[in-house]
């Protein structure tokens, strides 16, 4: 096995924009690690239906399920339900059953998972935290939620904690504050303006929300710090997944440029859907090749070379020996054997950028 | 030239100028922005003033020096923040993080930011700023969910100053001579199935019928592909043979999913070929626009 991250990691996080084959990559990495004898759980969010079926996790379930189409391996998968993960977290941190009820009934809470960006990412991290101490697994492969940019995954805890700690509303609802220091004129005016602009309901929902969450921010904050700690350990590897188009490469470069803020490194890049290499026989004229057949090969060579030129921009992130090119398969991934097919490509040393460009 | 699969003959042909606002929707990575750019090219070609609006900030847009073509972006979160600023929260908001306030409001009222974006577009539509407005919609499910649920849209603004805005946006969404929705997908299983799903939801809950279906990244049709079996004079390991075989498999698969989409949408799909280049140039846009124009004109 040439992929050392499969041997040395306890956590592998797959990052990338939507539609680049992140889930497939996570599944393939998990499969190969399990094949090598590791005890693996793949954590995924919202996979395409065929892929979920292939992994036997068509149903939302917050507990890992053993993939029974691969009984010989210790390979598990869980399809994360962000809503119930959040519910469990609230139950964990709440001080009373009444507080739990109040939160569950609040409109803002109900809308949070789908409408506050970063919440799903936070829940994926939360699941990761929980499974990290599960003795059944020694490797977790995490497929992060589809986002415009992968950096949202790392930003998530900060965003959610920031949301819960919103200063204005805390000022309004904190009883001690209102006794000793009356709500300032400016804040009252602000509230009135908000009511006028977007309706009074928003203000009362928000006040109710922050009242209900009172005292729980610390729990969330501590948790976020623990996850951050887990992510910065050497045994956690980051895999950046891309396609071949300019925009996914741009997003990947943007992501890498911001990684320093988190003191993290990308361990490897996997680029999916690369046009395969067919070799170059264009100058061999011993045989008369029909024009269209010749043009077809020329087209595919041009396409591949354009893709490789885009992909070579990624060499500022990792060396070409840590950049794997996965050829485009003629079909969608819909079975475990196809996940294995991708997995075999990933561990094949000929798949690196370094080795797949003919001299 | 792209494949021209025989996909029925009585399907409605897309008319780019049948509406003033064209909303281009599609998942990330399907090439929405390219299609928007190509359609803008077709618009300016006829002397119309075209405004392209990106629904996400930072969209890379191949702009060219053309007084008829303008480009701007309306990112929902940003639009909400400026709305709050314009409505009295400007001076007050300085002490507080305006983004924090905006995220509370958009969580309390899901869809409010998208509604404000549509309101801005409606404003443009009613003004004489452009003859054709092409909105490169955000890839998120939020936006589609919003236009798919007029009732939800009305609920967002049940009270307050947004009520008038939302009523006017609804009127625009309801009128196919004012606003049309064009889908962009690539001819592969998952994107096609997801597009069909979205289209059905849209039709069912809002009555909006998509006016166009663009299939992006279509591979060229090599006439000899069908004769690949006869290439016995070539070694099966020969690059020519391998390339022809690969292209035939990919191209057949594309035709299959294109036909599936065409059938479900009841539209003649408009093919946008895959140009084997690192980055599309202005010439490539002109080339793509010519190909799209031919398809829009044909069988009218």
């Amino acid at each position: 096995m040439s992929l050392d991250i499969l041997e040395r990691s306890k956590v592998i996080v797959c990052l990338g924009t939507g539609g680049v084959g992140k889930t497939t990559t996570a599944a393939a990495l998990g499969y190969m690690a399990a094949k090598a004898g590791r005890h693996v759980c793949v954590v995924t969010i919202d996979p395409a239906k065929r892929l979920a079926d292939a992994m036997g996790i068509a149903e939302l379930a917050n507990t890992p399920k053993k993939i029974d189409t691969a009984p010989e391996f210790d390979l598990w998968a869980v399809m994360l339900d962000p809503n119930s993960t959040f519910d469990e977290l609230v139950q964990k941190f709440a001080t009373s059953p009444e507080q739990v009820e109040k939160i569950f009934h609040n409109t803002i809470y109900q809308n949070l998972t789908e409408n506050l960006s970063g919440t799903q990412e936070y829940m994926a991290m939360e699941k990761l935290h929980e499974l990290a101490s599960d003795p059944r697994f020694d490797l977790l492969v995490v497929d992060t939620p589809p986002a415009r940019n992968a950096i949202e995954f790392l930003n998530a805890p900060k965003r959610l904690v920031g949301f819960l700690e919103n200063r204005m509303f805390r000022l309004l609802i904190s009883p001690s504050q209102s006794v000793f220091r009356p709500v300032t004129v400016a804040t009252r005016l602000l509230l009135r303006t908000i009511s006028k602009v977007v309706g009074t309901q928003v203000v009362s929902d928000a006040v109710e929300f922050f009242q209900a969450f009172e005292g729980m921010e610390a729990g969330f904050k501590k948790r976020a710090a623990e996850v951050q700690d887990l992510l910065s350990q050497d045994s956690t590897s980051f895999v950046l997944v891309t396609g071949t188009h300019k925009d996914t490469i741009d997003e990947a470069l943007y992501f890498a440029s911001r990684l320093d803020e988190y003191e993290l490194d990308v361990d490897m890049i996997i680029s999916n859907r690369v046009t395969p290499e067919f070799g170059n026989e264009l100058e061999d004229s011993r045989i008369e090749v029909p024009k269209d057949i010749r043009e077809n090969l020329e087209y595919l060579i041009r396409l591949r070379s354009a893709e490789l030129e885009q992909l070579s921009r990624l060499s500022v992130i990792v060396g070409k020996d840590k950049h794997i090119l996965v050829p485009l398969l003629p079909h969608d991934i819909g079975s475990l054997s196809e996940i294995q097919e991708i997995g075999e490509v990933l561990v094949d040393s000929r798949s690196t950028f370094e080795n797949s460009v003919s001299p | 030239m792209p494949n021209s699969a025989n996909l029925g003959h009585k399907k409605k042909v897309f008319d780019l100028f049948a509406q003033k606002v064209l909303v281009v929707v599609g998942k990330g990575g399907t090439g929405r922005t390219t299609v928007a750019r190509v359609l803008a090219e077709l618009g300016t070609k006829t002397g119309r003033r075209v405004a392209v609006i990106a629904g996400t900030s930072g969209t890379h847009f191949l702009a060219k020096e053309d007084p008829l073509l303008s480009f701007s972006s309306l990112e929902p979160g940003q639009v909400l923040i400026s709305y709050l600023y314009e409505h009295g929260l400007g001076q007050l908001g300085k002490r507080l993080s305006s983004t924090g306030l905006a995220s509370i409001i958009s969580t309390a009222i899901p869809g409010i930011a998208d509604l404000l974006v549509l309101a801005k577009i409606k404003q443009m539509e009613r003004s004489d700023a452009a003859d054709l407005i092409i909105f490169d919609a955000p890839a998120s499910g939020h936006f589609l969910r919003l236009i798919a649920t007029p009732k939800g849209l009305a609920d967002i603004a049940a009270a307050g100053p947004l009520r008038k805005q939302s009523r006017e946006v609804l009127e625009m969404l309801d009128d196919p001579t004012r606003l049309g929705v064009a889908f962009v997908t690539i001819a592969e299983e998952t994107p096609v199935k997801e597009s069909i799903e979205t289209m059905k939801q849209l039709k069912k809950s809002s009555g909006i019928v998509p006016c166009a279906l663009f299939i992006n990244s279509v591979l060229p049709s090599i006439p000899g592909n069908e004769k690949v079996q006869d290439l016995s004079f070539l070694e099966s390991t020969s690059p020519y043979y391998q390339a022809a075989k690969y292209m035939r498999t990919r191209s057949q698969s594309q035709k299959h999913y294109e036909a599936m989409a065409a059938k479900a949408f009841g539209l003649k799909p408009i093919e946008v070929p895959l140009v084997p280049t690192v980055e599309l140039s202005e010439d490539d846009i002109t080339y793509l626009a010519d190909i799209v124009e031919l398809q829009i004109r044909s069988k009218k």
Side-chain angles (χ1 to χ4, degrees):
Chain A
M1 190 163 56
S2 80
L3 271 192
D4 68 323
I5 61 160
L6 295 184
E7 286 161 15
R8 63 175 167 85
S9 313
K10 287 183 185 149
V11 175
I12 296 176
V13 183
C14 296
L15 299 153
T17 46
V20 293
K22 218 168 17 183
T23 313
T24 309
T25 303
L29 287 170
Y31 184 92
M32 295 315 286
K35 195 180 167 194
R38 300 204 60 185
H39 309 283
V40 184
C41 183
V42 178
V43 183
T44 175
I45 289 193
D46 199 21
K49 200 183 166 303
R50 274 184 66 162
L51 195 59
D53 287 345
M55 293 193 284
I57 46 165
E59 300 289 314
L60 268 181
N62 257 354
T63 47
K65 206 173 152 249
K66 195 163 186 308
I67 297 180
D68 46 20
T69 40
E72 69 277 33
F73 304 150
D74 205 17
L75 180 60
W76 300 61
V78 58
M79 181 155 113
L80 180 67
D81 175 357
N83 284 315
S84 67
T85 305
F86 208 158
D87 287 354
E88 285 165 20
L89 212 52
V90 166
Q91 280 162 334
K92 195 173 301 168
F93 293 142
T95 47
S96 69
E98 290 76 33
Q99 188 178 24
V100 173
E101 275 312 293
K102 246 169 91 184
I103 291 174
F104 285 2
H105 281 101
N106 182 267
T107 316
I108 294 192
Y109 177 73
Q110 288 164 1
N111 294 337
L112 212 52
T113 317
E114 281 203 25
N115 295 285
L116 180 66
S117 62
T119 312
Q120 300 206 357
E121 284 85 351
Y122 184 91
M123 293 308 140
M125 287 195 183
E126 174 53 33
K127 199 71 193 168
L128 175 66
H129 182 278
E130 183 196 315
L131 292 173
S133 53
D134 191 321
R136 287 176 296 178
F137 312 118
D138 60 17
L139 172 64
L140 303 172
V141 184
V142 188
D143 163 35
T144 56
R148 181 162 152 70
N149 193 283
I151 204 77
E152 285 177 26
F153 180 74
L154 299 172
N155 271 336
K158 217 164 64 188
R159 289 186 80 146
L160 186 69
V161 171
F163 184 85
L164 294 178
E165 282 190 325
N166 189 285
R167 225 190 265 147
M168 172 188 66
F169 280 94
R170 287 188 72 196
L171 196 76
L172 282 171
I173 58 156
S174 165
S176 60
Q177 297 267 16
S178 52
V179 170
F180 297 110
R181 183 155 35 111
V183 176
T184 62
V185 178
T187 314
R188 240 183 297 138
L189 189 56
L190 179 69
L191 275 190
R192 229 180 20 237
T193 315
I194 299 174
S195 303
K196 224 164 61 197
V197 177
V198 292
T200 47
Q201 191 62 38
V202 175
V203 175
S204 57
D205 283 346
V207 169
E208 190 194 88
F209 175 84
F210 289 104
Q211 261 168 2
F213 260 90
E214 173 113 81
M216 283 172 58
E217 310 95 300
F220 278 91
K221 217 174 167 174
K222 183 165 167 281
R223 202 57 172 234
E226 284 167 15
V227 172
Q228 202 60 53
D229 190 46
L230 176 66
L231 293 180
S232 51
Q233 279 169 23
D234 286 344
S235 56
T236 299
S237 301
F238 289 91
V239 173
L240 194 51
V241 185
T242 80
T244 59
H245 290 164
K246 184 181 182 300
D247 43 353
T248 78
I249 309 297
D250 287 344
E251 298 281 354
L253 288 169
Y254 172 74
F255 171 76
S257 75
R258 300 226 10 221
L259 258 188
D260 283 354
E261 292 168 34
Y262 300 88
E263 293 174 30
L264 301 170
D265 289 314
V266 172
D267 292 88
M268 67 184 302
I269 300 177
I270 297 176
S271 295
N272 288 320
R273 311 173 54 83
V274 181
T275 300
E277 170 149 42
F278 296 102
N280 195 334
E281 214 176 87
L282 296 176
E283 278 150 42
D284 183 356
S285 53
R286 275 173 310 166
I287 307 161
E288 190 62 38
V289 177
K291 185 168 169 280
D292 53 327
I293 299 295
R294 202 176 58 237
E295 281 175 356
N296 181 49
L297 179 60
E298 282 165 4
Y299 176 91
L300 289 171
I301 287 173
R302 269 208 311 281
L303 189 58
R304 179 173 162 90
S305 112
E307 290 168 356
L308 291 183
E309 193 178 330
Q310 272 299 340
L311 292 171
S312 69
R313 295 164 64 209
L314 295 172
S315 61
V316 296
I317 308 177
V318 295
K320 287 194 158 84
D321 56 325
K322 300 252 186 258
H323 184 180
I324 293 178
L325 309 184
V326 181
L328 177 58
L329 295 181
H331 44 76
D332 262 25
I333 307 298
S335 72
L336 206 61
S337 65
E338 285 157 356
I339 290 176
Q340 183 185 3
E341 196 180 332
I342 300 276
E344 299 290 354
V345 173
L346 293 179
V347 300
D348 188 334
S349 60
R350 285 170 299 181
S351 309
T352 62
F353 198 122
E354 190 179 48
N355 294 340
S356 53
V357 181
S358 18
Chain B
M1 274 297 295
N3 303 325
S4 42
N6 183 17
L7 298 157
H9 30 272
K10 287 208 171 151
K11 288 176 177 130
K12 208 182 94 199
V13 174
F14 173 54
D15 179 0
L16 177 59
F17 307 116
Q19 58 278 309
K20 191 165 173 187
V21 178
L22 186 69
V23 179
V24 183
V25 301
K27 285 206 30 148
T30 52
R32 250 183 2 259
T33 307
T34 302
V35 171
R37 178 66 185 84
V38 167
L39 294 176
E41 185 76 12
L42 288 176
T44 54
K45 239 172 106 171
T46 60
R48 287 173 171 86
R49 293 163 305 154
V50 183
V52 177
I53 300 167
T56 37
S57 55
T59 299
H60 174 80
F61 185 75
L62 181 69
K64 71 168 182 184
E65 294 282 328
D66 185 343
L68 291 175
L69 179 64
S70 73
F71 175 76
S72 58
S73 68
L74 287 176
E75 197 273 318
Q78 289 303 323
V79 172
L80 175 58
I81 290 173
S82 10
Y83 180 82
L84 297 176
Y85 264 66
E86 284 158 21
H87 287 78
L89 293 164
Q91 305 93 325
L92 295 164
K94 274 195 189 118
R95 290 172 49 237
L96 309 146
S97 147
S98 51
T99 45
L101 181 60
S103 58
I104 290 173
I105 292 174
S106 58
T107 310
I109 317 175
I112 185 170
D114 298 301
L115 171 66
L116 289 169
V117 168
L118 284 171
K120 286 246 174 203
I121 291 174
K122 183 223 69 195
Q123 231 170 38
M124 255 185 108
E125 184 240 0
R126 292 279 97 163
S127 78
D128 187 41
D131 303 307
L132 173 65
I133 299 163
I134 298 174
F135 182 48
D136 176 6
S140 73
H142 283 215
F143 180 77
L144 275 173
R145 240 177 290 143
L146 179 79
I147 58 173
T149 48
K151 193 188 160 298
L153 207 125
D155 285 349
I156 288 175
L162 281 173
R163 191 169 43 199
K164 185 163 163 273
Q165 303 261 33
S166 95
R167 201 185 52 235
E168 289 173 0
V169 165
L170 276 174
E171 281 169 12
M172 176 176 72
L173 289 175
D174 260 352
D175 185 346
T177 66
R178 292 176 65 192
L179 181 139
V181 176
F183 273 72
V184 179
T185 185
I186 48 174
E188 285 174 30
E189 180 172 351
T190 302
V192 161
K193 285 187 172 165
E194 285 179 3
S195 301
I196 293 174
E197 202 50 45
T198 310
M199 175 273 295
K200 282 183 178 161
Q201 276 170 11
L202 192 64
K203 265 187 179 170
K204 194 175 136 201
S205 48
S206 72
I208 293 177
V209 179
C211 62
L213 170 65
F214 288 91
I215 308 287
N216 199 21
S217 298
V218 174
L219 289 165
S221 191
I222 305 290
N225 260 351
E226 279 72 29
K227 285 187 250 157
V228 72
Q229 307 277 21
D230 303 336
L231 292 176
S232 44
F233 61 95
L234 290 169
E235 295 277 332
S236 65
T237 52
S238 130
Y240 293 109
Y241 180 86
Q242 292 286 329
K245 211 176 125 218
Y246 173 85
M247 184 61 94
R248 190 170 66 159
T249 314
R250 293 278 308 137
S251 177
Q252 271 174 354
S253 161
Q254 282 198 340
K255 276 183 189 158
H256 171 76
Y257 289 112
E258 179 176 330
M260 179 190 280
K263 190 169 172 236
F265 275 76
L267 290 168
K268 177 177 174 281
I270 302 161
E271 297 181 345
V272 183
L274 175 64
V275 183
T277 176
V278 182
E279 201 174 346
L280 291 177
S281 65
E282 277 183 29
D283 284 348
D284 293 330
I285 297 289
T286 314
Y287 160 77
L288 293 176
D290 288 345
I291 286 177
V292 167
E293 191 176 26
L294 274 173
Q295 299 175 75
I296 292 177
R297 275 216 209 111
S298 66
K299 294 178 186 169
K300 207 156 186 180

